[in-house]
Amino acid sequence: MGRRWGPGICAVALLCLAAAAAAGDPDPDELDRAFPIVEPDYGHTKLRLSEQGLEAIRRIENPIAIVGVIGPYRSGKSFLLNQLLSLSCDKGFGVGHMRDTKTKGIWIWGKPVEMDVDGTKVSVLYLDTEGFESVGKSNVYDDRIFALATVLSSVLIYNLPETVREADISRLSFAVEIAEEFYGRVKGEEIAFEPAKLLWLIQRDFLQGKSVQQMVNEALQRVPNANGNKYIDEVNQIRDSLAVMGNNSTAFSLPQPHLQRTKLCDMEDKELEPLYVTRREQLKQVVGSIIKPKFVQGKTLNGKEFVSFLQQILEALNKGEIPSTGSLVEIFNKAILERCLKVYKEKLEGLGLPVPVEKLQQIHEVANDEAKMLFDKQHFGKHHAVQSVLKLEDEIKKVYKSFLLANEYQSSKLCEARFSECEDQMDHLQVLKLPSMAKFNAGFFYCNRTFVTECVGPARERYEHRMSKMLLKSRALFIKEYNNKLFNWLVTFALVMVVLGRFVIKFFLLEIAAWVMFIFLETYTRMFWSAESLYYNPAWHIIVSSWETIVYSPLLDLDRWAIPISLLLLFWLFYWRCFARRKRGSRSLLPLHKNSHKNSNRPRSD
């Protein structure tokens, strides 16, 4: 069937496919043809998906198996697929007879072949690839086609004309490297996806007395290198890597169907070489016997899951300028890396910043070990997984660095807030109305204790130094002003007592005591004691102790309640002076002269 459709026909076909998909019961006639699933870009350097073919795959609900054919261009891959599907050239994959390649990109037969594999109904899809070494293409493009077919296929048929060449072995080593990385897991553990069964299909009429298996084995033997030639060493390394596919490969020979190859599509089986027909049927049986559903991460894929898998692979191949096993491993390990980083982040986020640096370091080491342990259990590949491990380490270092910076910021923010609160509190204690060393010490120790408890993290050491300097400075300043303020308050208190004793209470002894206190403070201390000797005198210590007891205690902070208490006392004195005393005084007044005269028994004297 031709590959070039008119725009109108393509639109109608897509509408039919969409309608069939919506109805849930696709029309078999619409799927009984080849669909492109991967197409080259204009420069034949990268690949892109074709929704036309992907829609046909998404319909499949059974587990999928892929039979892919790869090989040089003009080697009969499309014709071989038609033979395996029992289709003629005009109904099956397009077969070209010109010098240029007929198949562009990767095509797939839309109608799967239903098979029973170990009791499971499997939908087998046949995949045709663009040939290698075609004119006008880069080697990068060939490698991407080869890698994509290698990873997607359940059975990979390497179609080779006549013999196995060194270039064929070198190209296959790329697939084997993928096999080593993706399939070379410890037995019994979950694998990324099972390797494709490799079928070396050599089309030739004579084998010089050797079987194709012997030919393949000899081609893969190490080359003697007594002189240590670097090129031969590389060749032998390739052959050593191919040894891992030894238990997973089969060699099969297929004679030429007819000498006139350009007329093969017009011939029926009776016109072809009988030996070819026989071997072709045997080939069908061999392919059918080794078909297994595609397994990815331990489970089979349906149509939608296979399309998602294809998108991942294509992203990996198009990511770099030259595809490599490492890029494929990286894309498959990408999700695992994200999960490992998520575990690491969740462990650190549970701390609640800020925290001490030692604790953050301890949790970092625990979380780092957990993330690496998780990666070791789930990662893909062996050799190239080392690059993924290094990337995981780099990502963890970046995350840890960001947590260190965040911890530093949160610690500085918290310590700055506590420092500012303490500084404000110390400033407030400097301007107490009634100076109290006990109150200052209580605030001093409370502030220091709060700072030590709440200021945590890497900024603590720096702020502790600032805090110590600020507290010592505040304490020295308070002590310096404390004695002067207390002396002034005592002088003021003596004058107040003089006023109260003379004019309000009118208690002579209180007035005398207040005058004595005032004269002592203002005269005697200045005449006979210096300021230093006064403040260190035992008598002054008694005065300070008495003052502290009155001014501040856990039950009463006189500095806080001084104004309310003073107002209450003034109100009480005013009331007592103006009302209560007047009432008591009216009852105690001397009796009037006439009353006393009447009640007196003493004789009146003129």
Side-chain angles (χ1 to χ4, degrees):
M1 180 179 292
R3 297 280 166 76
R4 299 176 182 259
W5 292 67
I9 297 176
C10 289
V12 172
L14 287 174
L15 288 174
C16 292
L17 283 172
D25 186 17
D27 186 358
D29 293 337
E30 292 295 333
L31 300 177
D32 201 10
R33 66 183 183 89
F35 292 92
I37 60 172
V38 175
E39 298 175 324
D41 62 2
Y42 179 76
H44 273 76
T45 57
K46 291 188 177 182
L47 304 172
R48 60 172 179 262
L49 294 174
S50 173
E51 285 297 325
Q52 187 179 5
L54 298 183
E55 185 60 34
I57 299 176
R58 288 193 183 99
R59 303 168 183 266
I60 302 174
E61 298 181 357
N62 297 330
I64 287 180
I66 300 291
V67 176
V69 179
I70 58 175
Y73 86 108
R74 305 291 297 125
S75 61
K77 298 185 301 300
S78 300
F79 179 78
L80 174 63
L81 282 167
N82 290 336
Q83 293 288 292
L84 294 176
L85 287 166
S86 301
L87 296 172
S88 61
C89 294
D90 58 337
K91 292 184 179 180
F93 287 97
V95 178
H97 302 295
M98 306 299 291
R99 290 295 299 172
D100 61 333
T101 180
K102 183 69 174 178
T103 304
K104 300 292 184 181
I106 298 178
W107 289 62
I108 204 162
W109 190 251
K111 186 177 181 180
V113 178
E114 305 296 338
M115 295 182 61
D116 184 273
V117 178
D118 297 332
T120 302
K121 188 177 181 181
V122 177
S123 296
V124 183
L125 292 171
Y126 286 80
L127 181 145
D128 192 11
T129 62
E130 186 171 351
F132 308 143
E133 302 167 355
S134 178
V135 179
K137 299 185 307 178
S138 65
N139 291 332
V140 171
Y141 176 77
D142 284 348
D143 288 341
R144 285 182 175 146
I145 291 289
F146 191 100
L148 189 57
T150 302
V151 176
L152 293 179
S153 298
S154 305
V155 176
L156 184 65
I157 301 176
Y158 200 172
N159 187 48
L160 298 172
E162 298 185 354
T163 188
V164 180
R165 300 174 301 169
E166 186 64 37
D168 301 325
I169 297 176
S170 298
R171 184 174 287 111
L172 185 61
S173 67
F174 180 71
V176 173
E177 193 176 2
I178 295 174
E180 282 188 305
E181 296 296 340
F182 286 86
Y183 318 141
R185 305 299 298 272
V186 178
K187 187 175 182 181
E189 293 186 3
E190 184 182 11
I191 58 174
F193 52 89
E194 288 187 355
K197 297 289 185 178
L198 178 61
L199 179 60
W200 297 79
L201 182 62
I202 301 177
Q203 299 186 33
R204 62 180 302 168
D205 294 326
F206 58 92
L207 296 174
Q208 299 176 344
K210 298 179 181 179
S211 66
V212 289
Q213 190 64 58
Q214 289 175 325
M215 179 185 295
V216 171
N217 292 340
E218 289 181 1
L220 298 180
Q221 285 182 356
R222 290 176 60 88
V223 179
N225 186 21
N227 298 325
N229 185 281
K230 184 178 180 180
Y231 171 76
I232 297 179
D233 280 341
E234 293 177 356
V235 170
N236 286 331
Q237 288 177 6
I238 293 174
R239 281 158 172 74
D240 290 340
S241 66
L242 289 175
V244 301
M245 297 288 285
N247 298 328
N248 201 43
S249 63
T250 302
F252 193 88
S253 64
L254 191 65
Q256 296 294 335
H258 199 276
L259 294 178
Q260 296 181 341
R261 295 179 59 86
T262 58
K263 297 181 179 181
L264 289 177
C265 288
D266 301 325
M267 295 181 180
E268 299 179 357
D269 282 357
K270 60 183 180 180
E271 300 177 73
L272 300 176
E273 289 292 333
L275 180 58
Y276 168 80
V277 175
T278 301
R279 295 291 290 174
R280 181 195 65 190
E281 295 304 315
Q282 293 175 355
L283 177 61
K284 289 182 181 180
Q285 294 177 3
V286 171
V287 173
S289 65
I290 60 178
I291 283 179
K292 298 289 182 183
K294 191 68 181 176
F295 278 87
V296 175
Q297 291 183 302
K299 68 174 185 177
T300 58
L301 303 180
N302 59 24
K304 292 182 179 179
E305 293 168 339
F306 182 84
V307 170
S308 177
F309 177 69
L310 171 59
Q311 290 171 341
Q312 282 185 297
I313 297 296
L314 196 61
E315 178 184 352
L317 292 174
N318 285 332
K319 184 178 181 181
E321 180 180 352
I322 299 177
S324 66
T325 313
S327 65
L328 292 177
V329 173
E330 182 181 349
I331 201 66
F332 275 93
N333 285 336
K334 182 178 180 181
I336 299 173
L337 286 174
E338 291 175 353
R339 288 197 296 271
C340 294
L341 283 175
K342 184 178 180 181
V343 169
Y344 177 82
K345 289 180 181 178
E346 288 176 351
K347 197 77 175 178
L348 265 64
E349 287 171 352
L351 283 174
L353 301 179
V355 294
V357 177
E358 297 78 11
K359 186 174 182 180
L360 182 61
Q361 175 69 24
Q362 181 181 4
I363 298 300
H364 157 71
E365 292 175 356
V366 173
N368 186 37
D369 292 340
E370 289 185 6
K372 289 185 176 180
M373 188 180 300
L374 178 63
F375 182 81
D376 290 340
K377 290 181 179 179
Q378 298 185 6
H379 77 270
F380 299 151
K382 294 183 298 183
H383 304 301
H384 286 284
V386 175
Q387 300 299 322
S388 298
V389 171
L390 294 177
K391 184 174 182 181
L392 176 62
E393 291 177 351
D394 289 340
E395 293 298 326
I396 287 178
K397 287 179 181 178
K398 291 178 182 178
V399 174
Y400 180 57
K401 184 177 180 181
S402 67
F403 269 92
L404 286 175
L405 293 175
N407 192 45
E408 176 74 30
Y409 171 75
Q410 293 295 338
S411 177
S412 298
K413 184 178 178 181
L414 181 62
C415 292
E416 179 66 31
R418 298 289 83 81
F419 177 82
S420 299
E421 290 177 4
C422 287
E423 194 173 35
D424 293 341
Q425 188 173 358
M426 291 297 102
D427 291 341
H428 174 72
L429 291 174
Q430 295 291 344
V431 293
L432 293 175
K433 304 178 191 69
L434 300 176
S436 170
M437 181 63 71
K439 184 173 183 178
F440 181 87
N441 288 335
F444 179 92
F445 289 118
Y446 173 79
C447 183
N448 191 49
R449 184 172 62 254
T450 303
F451 178 84
V452 171
T453 303
E454 298 183 7
C455 177
V456 295
R460 177 173 177 170
E461 183 177 356
R462 183 174 71 255
Y463 274 88
E464 277 182 342
H465 181 66
R466 291 181 58 189
M467 187 73 175
S468 178
K469 290 180 62 177
M470 185 271 292
L471 291 178
L472 291 176
K473 183 178 179 181
S474 297
R475 189 182 185 90
L477 182 62
F478 181 84
I479 293 174
K480 180 180 178 181
E481 299 294 331
Y482 173 76
N483 291 317
N484 292 332
K485 288 183 178 180
L486 180 56
F487 186 89
N488 294 333
W489 269 106
L490 291 175
V491 172
T492 303
F493 177 76
L495 291 176
V496 171
M497 290 297 102
V498 168
V499 173
L500 289 176
R502 179 71 180 86
F503 298 104
V504 179
I505 302 176
K506 293 185 177 181
F507 186 56
F508 182 71
L509 293 178
L510 177 63
E511 181 183 356
I512 293 299
W515 276 116
V516 171
M517 181 178 178
F518 177 79
I519 293 170
F520 174 79
L521 292 173
E522 285 293 330
T523 306
Y524 185 83
T525 57
R526 297 181 185 276
M527 291 176 61
F528 300 99
W529 289 344
S530 65
E532 292 77 8
S533 61
L534 171 64
Y535 298 149
Y536 290 99
N537 191 281
W540 180 255
H541 290 168
I542 296 174
I543 294 173
V544 170
S545 178
S546 302
W547 171 266
E548 291 290 343
T549 304
I550 296 171
V551 172
Y552 180 79
S553 69
L555 298 178
L556 178 63
D557 183 3
L558 196 60
D559 182 76
R560 193 173 185 181
W561 298 99
I563 294 177
I565 291 175
S566 299
L567 292 176
L568 287 174
L569 288 174
L570 288 174
F571 177 77
W572 178 78
L573 287 173
F574 178 77
Y575 175 80
W576 178 79
R577 182 71 180 84
C578 298
F579 297 101
R581 187 176 179 185
R582 182 178 300 174
K583 291 179 181 181
R584 289 194 300 271
S586 63
R587 289 194 295 269
S588 64
L589 290 174
L590 293 176
L592 294 175
H593 178 73
K594 61 181 180 178
N595 291 336
S596 60
H597 173 71
K598 290 181 180 180
N599 296 330
S600 177
N601 295 325
R602 189 178 63 178
R604 179 177 178 183
S605 174
D606 294 331

